[in-house]
Amino acid sequence: MFEIFGIPSQALFGQLLIGLINGSFYALLSLGLAVIFGMLNIINFTHGAQYMMGAFVAYLLLQHIGANYWWALILAPIAVGLTGIVMERLFLQHLYKLDHLYGLLLTFGIALIIEGVFRNYYGSSGQPYQVPALLQGGRNLGFMFLPNYRAWVIVFSLVVCISTWFVIERTRLGSYLRAATENPALVRAFGINVPRMITLTYGFGVGLAALAGVMAAPIYNVSPLMGSDLIVVVFAVVVIGGMGSIMGAIVTGFALGVIEGLTKVFFPEASNTVIFVIMAIVLLIRPSGLFGRAA
Amino acid sequence: MRRLFAIAAVGLAALVALFAAGTAHAQYTDGVIRIGVLNDMSGLYADLGGQGSVFAARQAVEDFGAAQKGMKVEVVGADHQNKPDVGSSIARSWIDRDKVDVIVDIPNSGVALAVNEVVREKNKVFLASGPASSDLTGAKCSPNTVHWTYDTWALANGTGKAIVRSGGTTWFFLTADYAFGHALERDTSAVVEANGGKVVGKVRHPLNTNDFSSFLLQAQSSKAKIIGLANAGGDTINSIKQAAEFGIVKGGQNLAGLLVFITDVNSLGLQTAQGLIMTEAWYWDMTDDNRAFARKFSAALGGHYPTMVQAGVYASVLHYLKAVEALKSDADGKAVVDKMKELPTDDPLFGKGTIRADGRKIHDMYLFEVKKPEESKHPWDYYQLRATIPAAEAFRPLKDGGCPLVGG
C-alpha cells in the first residue's frame, strides 16, 4: 500500500468515492437550477425549500398512507412539481420581463415562508426516515465499506443527470425549449405554446429538486432546514459551472463534491468554505463560469 | 347616568392600579423585571431551546406568583442565529435600550462566552442553561453568571468514565469546530486518559455539517473502539444516522454521544438511537413534578417534550426571582448573583441544590441508555436510567477550574 501526502491510498480512494456521492446531490440540485435559469431566466432561490419539500412528502407518504420509498421517488417529484407549476402561474410568469433581482427576491421570500411553515409544524431537529429494505446493508470494497444506498444514489443520479442533458441538448423537444428562450416570439409563430412549455419546464426543474430531496431523506435527517443548508453551496456550484449551462452544472457538481471530500481529509475545518474559495477564483479568471458562454 | 358611573369606576380602578404599581414596583429598575431568553430560534438548536425555553421562563414567572406578589415581570425572546456577534449585539441593545435585567439560556457556547462578557461589563445577570463549555465556570467565570444545567466536564465525567470502565479504552473524536466542541473534546480526553484509556485521533468538522461520511471513514480507519461525538443537535443526529449506514457499530466500533438531547433521540427514532448511552441533568419521566411540567409544556408546544435545557431555564428563572424578591432589588447584577449563591436552591424540577462560588449550580446528573423500540410504552418514553451520579461527584471540583473568583 502506498501513501499520498501521508494518507494511505486506500483511505483516499474511499474519500474520492464519498466525494462523488455527495457530488451527485450537488449535480442533481444544480441541474434543476441550471434548467430553470437557462429556460426561464429565473434565479430560483426556492430550490432548497423544494428539495426539503420532496423529503417531507416522502416522509408524509410513509407516515400517513404507508407508501414506501419507491412510490415516494415517483410521487414526491410530481406533487412538488405541481406546487411549482402553481407558483409559476401565480407569480413567476409576471417577472420574466423584469430584472433578475425581482425573481430572486420573490423566490427567496417564498423559500423563507415554506421553511417557516414546516419548522412550525415539525420543529427543527427533523424526522426519521429509514433506508428502504432493498438497499439496506452494504458491501466491503476492500478499501472501504460502501452502503448499498449510497451506491444507488450515485448510479441513479448519474442516470437522471445524463437523461436530462440528453433531452435538452439532443432531442426535438429540447431544441424547441432552447429556441423558445432565445426568441419566444418566433417560436410562437411556428404554432408552439411557449408559455405552457415554460410552465412545464419550471415544474420539471422543481421536480428534480424534490427528487433529490427524496434521495436525501434516508441519509440526512428530514428537517425543514436541510434545504437552506445546501442551497448556498449549490448556487456556488452553478456559478462555477456557468449559469444556465446544463453540462456545466453536472460536471461541476460532481467535481466539487470530490474536492470537498478531499478537503475533509487534508483540512477538515475548511471543508465548508473551500467551494466558495474556488468560486471566487473562478469568478476572477472566468466571470461567466467554467462552462458558460460570455454574455 | 350609568355610563358616567362606569367611567368613574374605570378611572378609579386605574388610579388604584397606578398607586399599587407605584408602591410595589418602586424597588425594581424602571418598575419591571425583564427576562430576555436568548437562543437559537430557527436553526439546528431550536428544538432543544427555542420557543420552549421562552415558555419555560414564562411558566417559572407564573409559578413563582409574580403577579400576586406585585412584581411586574416580562419575558422577551430573541434569535442569536448561532453567531456570537449577533448574540452580543442583541444582549447590548436589550440591556441598554430595552432595560432587560437578566439574560437566560444561550445554547451555543460561542455565543454564551461572548454574552458572558457583555453581561459582566453591564453588571446584569446571565443564567446559562443552554451552553456546555465548562470555561463559563473556569477560566472565563464571571460574578454575574450562574451556569445551571450541565457542562462539558459533567458530560465527559458521566459518559466518558462509564464507557472507559466498560472496556471502551481507545477513542477517536468527531468534534464540532468551535468553543463547545473543543471544550467537550478536551474535558473528555482528560477523563479518558485519567481512567487508563487512550485518544488515538480526532477530526474537527464545521458546525452544521450535512454529510459525515468522510469523517466517519477516518474514524473507521483509526480502529478506535469508541467514536466520541463531541458535537450537538443536528450534527449529532446526522453523525449517528450515517454511522449506522456505514456499518460502524456492526464493524465493532461503538459511538459515544457526549451531548445528546431527548429531541435528538426523538428525531433519530429508537430504531437508530437504541443502546446509546448519554449523560443528562434532567429527564421528564422521573418524578411527578417533572411529568406535570412536561404535560403543560407539551400542550403548549405542539406535542414536543422538554429538554434538560428548557427545564434548566425554568428552574434558574425561578431561583433568580426568589433572589430578587429577597434582595428587593434587581439593580445590581452581581448582588443578585451573590444572593442566588447564598440561598439554597429548591425547585420542582431539580430539587434541592446549591450554587458554588464559581457560578456552577450543583445537582445530581444521570447516566441514561436509550430504550429499544419494543421497550418504549408511550410517546417520548425513551430513556432507561443506568446510574445516578451524585451531586458531589458530578461536577468539576471547585479548585480545578482555575476560576479567579475562587479564593485561596
Side-chain angles (χ1 to χ4, degrees), chain B residues 93-113:
Chain B
S93 73
W94 263 357
I95 294 169
D96 292 341
R97 199 189 59 208
D98 302 330
K99 309 277 179 259
V100 164
D101 300 295
V102 50
I103 296 179
V104 198
D105 203 4
I106 321 199
N108 188 321
S109 299
V111 184
L113 287 164

Side-chain angles (χ1 to χ4, degrees), chain A residues 143-166:
Chain A
F143 58 90
M144 73 173 283
F145 177 89
L146 179 66
N148 290 337
Y149 187 78
R150 301 259 174 167
W152 153 255
V153 163
I154 197 168
V155 171
F156 185 67
S157 60
L158 262 180
V159 169
V160 173
C161 285
I162 290 171
S163 12
T164 306
W165 172 82
F166 185 82

Side-chain angles (χ1 to χ4, degrees), chain B residues 129-265:
Chain B
S129 182
S133 174
S134 58
D135 290 347
L136 281 168
T137 53
K140 300 281 168 59
C141 72
S142 148
N144 298 74
T145 298
V146 173
H147 197 180
W148 193 277
T149 311
Y150 69 105
D151 64 25
T152 48
W153 196 95
L155 297 171
N157 177 57
T159 314
K161 205 189 266 178
I163 289 178
V164 177
R165 287 191 180 161
S166 60
T169 46
T170 49
W171 285 60
F172 185 95
F173 284 103
L174 223 64
T175 306
D177 189 25
Y178 74 106
F180 149 71
H182 297 178
L184 189 49
E185 181 197 296
R186 177 197 64 207
D187 289 347
T188 314
S189 302
V191 169
V192 168
E193 278 156 13
N195 286 280
K198 197 168 160 248
V199 177
V200 297
K202 65 179 179 212
V203 59
R204 288 181 169 170
H205 67 78
L207 176 66
N208 224 349
T209 294
N210 239 331
D211 194 83
F212 284 87
S213 45
S214 171
F215 305 124
L216 289 167
L217 222 58
Q218 296 176 43
Q220 210 165 21
S221 59
S222 77
K223 304 274 190 285
K225 285 183 193 163
I226 301 293
I227 299 170
L229 304 176
N231 50 21
D235 285 338
T236 306
I237 295 173
N238 272 332
S239 324
I240 296 174
K241 196 166 171 172
Q242 290 164 21
E245 195 195 347
F246 276 83
I248 299 264
V249 178
K250 280 196 190 118
Q253 289 173 302
N254 274 306
L255 293 177
L258 295 168
L259 177 51
V260 182
F261 294 97
I262 192 162
T263 43
D264 302 336
V265 173

Side-chain angles (χ1 to χ4, degrees), chain A residues 11 14-15 18 22 51 119 121-131 137 144-147 149-150 217-222 225-226 229-230 261 264-265 268-272, chain B residues 41-47 177 203-215 217-218 220-221 234 237-238 241-242 245-247 250 263-264 266-269 271-272 304:
Chain A
Q15 297 295 350
I18 283 184
N22 290 338
Y51 159 81
R119 195 167 57 227
Y121 285 101
Y122 299 101
S124 67
S125 40
Q127 309 292 333
Y129 194 90
Q130 299 294 330
V131 173
M144 73 173 283
F145 177 89
L146 179 66
Y149 187 78
R150 301 259 174 167
I219 304 184
Y220 310 127
N221 232 25
V222 180
L225 305 173
M226 62 194 287
D229 293 345
L230 207 58
K264 282 178 177 168
V265 182
E269 289 88 341
S271 57
N272 62 348
Chain B
M41 299 266 178
S42 55
L44 76 170
Y45 300 151
D47 281 353
D177 189 25
V203 59
R204 288 181 169 170
H205 67 78
L207 176 66
N208 224 349
T209 294
N210 239 331
D211 194 83
F212 284 87
S213 45
S214 171
F215 305 124
L217 222 58
Q218 296 176 43
Q220 210 165 21
S221 59
I237 295 173
N238 272 332
K241 196 166 171 172
Q242 290 164 21
E245 195 195 347
F246 276 83
K250 280 196 190 118
T263 43
D264 302 336
N266 181 56
S267 177
L268 279 164
Q271 189 61 41
T272 313
H304 273 258

Side-chain angles (χ1 to χ4, degrees), chain A residues 38-66:
Chain A
M39 306 297 145
L40 283 76
N41 264 342
I42 291 280
I43 301 171
N44 185 31
F45 246 92
T46 325
H47 217 67
Q50 283 152 343
Y51 159 81
M52 176 270 286
M53 283 163 79
F56 261 98
V57 170
Y59 166 76
L60 294 173
L61 282 173
L62 187 69
Q63 290 294 309
H64 295 291
I65 62 170

Side-chain angles (χ1 to χ4, degrees), chain A residues 153 170 189 249 259:
Chain A
V153 163
R170 291 286 181 271
I259 292 174

Side-chain angles (χ1 to χ4, degrees), chain A residues 222-285:
Chain A
V222 180
S223 130
L225 305 173
M226 62 194 287
S228 53
D229 293 345
L230 207 58
I231 189 71
V232 182
V233 177
V234 173
F235 264 102
V237 171
V238 174
V239 170
I240 295 169
M243 291 297 283
S245 159
I246 309 277
M247 196 38 115
I250 299 171
V251 173
T252 324
F254 280 102
L256 287 180
V258 170
I259 292 174
E260 197 189 48
L262 292 180
T263 316
K264 282 178 177 168
V265 182
F266 293 110
F267 189 15
E269 289 88 341
S271 57
N272 62 348
T273 36
V274 63
I275 286 183
F276 301 103
V277 174
I278 295 173
M279 181 177 91
I281 295 171
V282 168
L283 284 178
L284 281 175
I285 299 169

